[in-house]
Amino acid sequence: MANINDYKNIPADKFRFTNNRSSSDEKFKTKQLGFLGDAWIRFRKNKSSIVAACIIAILVVYAIVGPILGSTNYTKNLKDTTYLTYTKLLPKSKLFSWLGWDGCSKSQIAEANYVYYNAITQETGYDVIKKVYSTETTSDGKNLYNVSIDSYISNGFLYMTLTQEQYEDIQAWQDETGLQIIYPAITTKNVKDANIWYEADAKGVAKLKNGQLVDVYKTSGNDGDYHSLRIAGDPGLEDATAAKRYRYATITGDSSSISYKCRVFKYTYFQYRYGYEPSFLFGTNSLGQDIFTRLAAGARFSFIFAICISAVNLFIGAIIGAIEGYYGGLIDLILERVMDILNGVPFIVVATLFQLHLAKKVGPVWSLLFAFVVTGWIGMASSVRMQFYRFKGREYVLAARTLGARDRRLMFKHIFPNSLGTLITGCVMVIPGVIFSESSLTYLGIINLESSTMTSVGTMLANGKDYLASYPHIIFFPAMFIALLEVSFNLFGNGLRDAFNPALRGADE
């Protein structure tokens, strides 16, 4: 065992002080980390929450700028689009056409339809049938064709009544662009289908000559092939004989008010009317409205509606929950029983009753908002109440009370901020819940938020359910929006919950 005398002969320069006082005055080299900074560090470590936040941001940006980027004029003018009947067009994009996003559908058609589509192609020069994959013959000798059909061209023609000013403007546009809008009309008066381009009887049955369809513009009275494009100098309606022969239009009205009933090609009329070729990224719905723009407008309404409900529920729930948790006792007991009664009423019943009675006075939107607020604040109040019971006995609260702080200051200055993380998470999770509930109510037909100027995601889902088998794109994009929204908000909410959890502050994971 070492003896203290063994260290007497050690030189003094071998010794050093263990406590260097000069270093105790150095400043901290790291910055102070606040609550939000610490929460952000924990949140960004959750990769799934970061991805979910990015998806939510994309959906929000889409809801804001979608109506501006989309075919706004075409979508807003519901009356014109209904008249044009350019409905149920398939999604089309030049950028993604190589992926099959070309507005075409694969289908099997009979001989009559094959001739019908080829007739449109023959008259207009636009290919309706993009590709013939195969031909089959049935047992009764009829041909079936497996083809790819362009939904934008297959709409064909419609009859339109134009004023003299509109008619002359279209003629000038045709001369300028070289694209034809007005085509010859059928001679049979009883047939209203503008897509019949051949000579037919009163019932619309085609007349055949040597087994071939007879073109309307090659019937008696026409001494040669018809050149349908109106150009300068071509005989027109000012010549009654030429008007009858070329059959551009039927003139009605007197000299002071002339109108023309014309046979119009929808594809080129759309270019004349809106200034661009019809091409809709998400296609169009049953009313001929652009789904891309309509969904963005619906998403914007759904987001604003859900955020407003979340804010109102937070305001009401925070006040009631704070009163419950802070005072406790009889006040807490009474308010809890009231909440139990309200919570026991099914939400769908409340929403239905409000739509049946209150909606007649304030409208369906306000009625639905009231239905969400009646019981929506209960969950928020319970969360605040729990946090107040947890923190109101802490030392810093007792110290503030000793210094003379009033109840209101203790409640909202010292206790309430500690429940902020839980409330933020709750508010965020209310948004997808409201949108999903509204979608469910609309899909079930309990509410209807559809109009020419307003829609919601749930309304678009309800309108598309009838076309699920024939035109699935009408319901696919709203359903995809809802799915992305729900999954993203769940993941995002989980990340917020962990980030704002005070027990994890400073935790190094």
Side-chain angles (χ1 to χ4, degrees):
M1 183 175 180
N3 194 317
I4 192 171
N5 295 324
D6 297 337
Y7 302 102
K8 288 182 178 181
N9 297 326
I10 298 177
D13 58 353
K14 297 293 184 179
F15 290 89
R16 63 181 178 83
F17 289 103
T18 57
N19 184 15
N20 188 356
R21 294 181 178 274
S22 61
S23 62
S24 62
D25 296 330
E26 293 182 1
K27 295 183 179 180
F28 287 109
K29 295 182 179 180
T30 58
K31 295 182 179 180
Q32 182 181 2
L33 186 62
F35 177 72
L36 293 179
D38 182 69
W40 166 244
I41 291 175
R42 290 197 301 275
F43 179 79
R44 69 187 182 187
K45 291 180 179 179
N46 193 330
K47 303 301 181 183
S48 60
S49 296
I50 292 293
V51 174
C54 292
I55 294 175
I56 293 172
I58 293 173
L59 295 179
V60 171
V61 171
Y62 165 66
I64 296 173
V65 304
I68 302 173
L69 297 178
S71 308
T72 308
N73 293 332
Y74 178 68
T75 301
K76 284 184 177 179
N77 199 342
L78 179 62
K79 182 178 179 181
D80 186 67
T81 58
T82 304
Y83 183 59
L84 187 62
T85 61
Y86 224 170
T87 62
K88 293 171 283 192
L89 298 179
L90 299 179
K92 182 178 181 180
S93 171
K94 293 182 179 179
L95 183 62
F96 301 108
S97 59
W98 57 280
L99 290 174
W101 209 307
D102 54 2
C104 299
S105 63
K106 295 180 180 179
S107 58
Q108 188 178 74
I109 60 175
E111 181 78 28
N113 291 331
Y114 184 78
V115 173
Y116 174 86
Y117 290 135
N118 274 307
I120 297 176
T121 300
Q122 178 182 342
E123 188 174 10
T124 64
Y126 291 88
D127 292 328
V128 178
I129 299 177
K130 295 297 184 181
K131 186 175 181 180
V132 179
Y133 296 100
S134 62
T135 304
E136 302 177 10
T137 304
T138 61
S139 57
D140 55 356
K142 296 181 179 180
N143 292 328
L144 298 176
Y145 299 86
N146 297 309
V147 296
S148 176
I149 298 176
D150 191 325
S151 62
Y152 290 73
I153 309 298
S154 62
N155 274 261
F157 299 84
L158 81 161
Y159 286 113
M160 294 184 67
T161 301
L162 306 173
T163 64
Q164 185 172 4
E165 181 181 0
Q166 290 173 329
Y167 181 82
E168 292 175 353
D169 189 56
I170 289 177
Q171 295 295 343
W173 187 86
Q174 289 184 150
D175 297 339
E176 179 183 353
T177 61
L179 299 175
Q180 183 183 351
I181 297 176
I182 301 175
Y183 283 76
I186 190 172
T187 55
T188 305
K189 297 181 179 180
N190 295 334
V191 178
K192 297 181 179 180
D193 187 1
N195 287 306
I196 298 180
W197 61 282
Y198 46 77
E199 190 174 7
D201 59 20
K203 295 182 179 180
V205 179
K207 294 181 179 180
L208 299 180
K209 184 177 181 180
N210 298 326
Q212 300 294 324
L213 296 171
V214 181
D215 296 347
V216 170
Y217 47 87
K218 293 181 181 178
T219 55
S220 60
N222 190 353
D223 55 2
D225 290 343
Y226 169 74
H227 189 280
S228 56
L229 180 63
R230 290 297 306 277
I231 58 176
D234 192 24
L237 290 177
E238 62 277 1
D239 184 348
T241 303
K244 180 179 180 182
R245 178 174 131 193
Y246 285 93
R247 307 185 191 284
Y248 286 111
T250 302
I251 307 175
T252 58
D254 53 27
S255 58
S256 61
S257 178
I258 300 176
S259 61
Y260 306 103
K261 183 179 180 181
C262 304
R263 183 168 172 262
V264 171
F265 184 39
K266 296 180 184 179
Y267 192 82
T268 49
Y269 175 79
F270 188 98
Q271 297 178 57
Y272 158 77
R273 177 68 177 80
Y274 299 104
Y276 58 92
E277 289 189 58
S279 178
F280 302 101
L281 187 63
F282 291 172
T284 61
N285 61 14
S286 58
L287 295 178
Q289 297 166 318
D290 179 17
I291 294 178
F292 178 88
T293 311
R294 198 72 172 165
L295 179 59
R300 178 189 294 179
F301 168 79
S302 297
F303 273 125
I304 295 174
F305 184 73
I307 291 172
C308 289
I309 290 175
S310 178
V312 172
N313 288 338
L314 172 62
F315 179 76
I316 298 174
I319 294 176
I320 295 179
I323 294 173
E324 280 188 291
Y326 184 81
Y327 292 105
L330 183 61
I331 295 178
D332 184 25
L333 182 64
I334 294 174
L335 290 176
E336 279 295 301
R337 299 296 74 78
V338 172
M339 292 196 312
D340 288 341
I341 294 173
L342 291 176
N343 208 26
V345 181
F347 170 73
I348 193 170
V349 174
V350 175
T352 303
L353 291 175
F354 277 29
Q355 287 299 310
L356 290 175
H357 302 284
L358 187 60
K360 297 178 182 179
K361 298 180 180 180
V362 299
V365 177
W366 283 102
S367 174
L368 185 60
L369 187 145
F370 291 149
F372 276 108
V373 171
V374 165
T375 58
W377 56 270
I378 294 177
M380 209 70 75
S382 299
S383 299
V384 176
R385 172 179 176 270
M386 179 181 64
Q387 295 300 318
F388 266 70
Y389 268 113
R390 179 180 179 184
F391 292 107
K392 71 177 183 179
R394 296 293 177 89
E395 292 80 0
Y396 57 87
V397 177
L398 298 177
R401 186 193 300 275
T402 303
L403 294 174
R406 296 182 178 181
D407 289 346
R408 186 173 60 183
R409 180 178 180 82
L410 291 174
M411 292 168 63
F412 296 103
K413 179 69 175 178
H414 297 283
I415 304 177
F416 186 77
N418 289 282
S419 61
L420 195 59
T422 303
L423 291 180
I424 291 175
T425 305
C427 287
V428 169
M429 296 308 298
V430 165
I431 296 174
V434 170
I435 295 176
F436 187 79
S437 298
E438 178 271 323
S439 302
S440 302
L441 293 173
T442 308
Y443 190 84
L444 294 173
I446 296 175
I447 60 174
N448 182 17
L449 302 177
E450 180 73 17
S451 70
S452 60
T453 57
M454 184 187 71
T455 188
S456 66
V457 180
T459 303
M460 297 187 69
L461 287 172
N463 293 338
K465 64 183 179 182
D466 295 332
Y467 306 99
L468 185 58
S470 54
Y471 299 98
H473 72 281
I474 296 178
I475 197 172
F476 172 78
F477 292 104
M480 181 60 67
F481 179 89
I482 287 288
L484 285 175
L485 189 72
E486 293 296 320
V487 173
S488 299
F489 264 104
N490 281 332
L491 294 176
F492 182 65
N494 291 337
L496 287 181
R497 180 195 61 201
D498 295 339
F500 285 107
N501 187 355
L504 297 177
R505 184 171 185 181
D508 189 11
E509 300 178 1

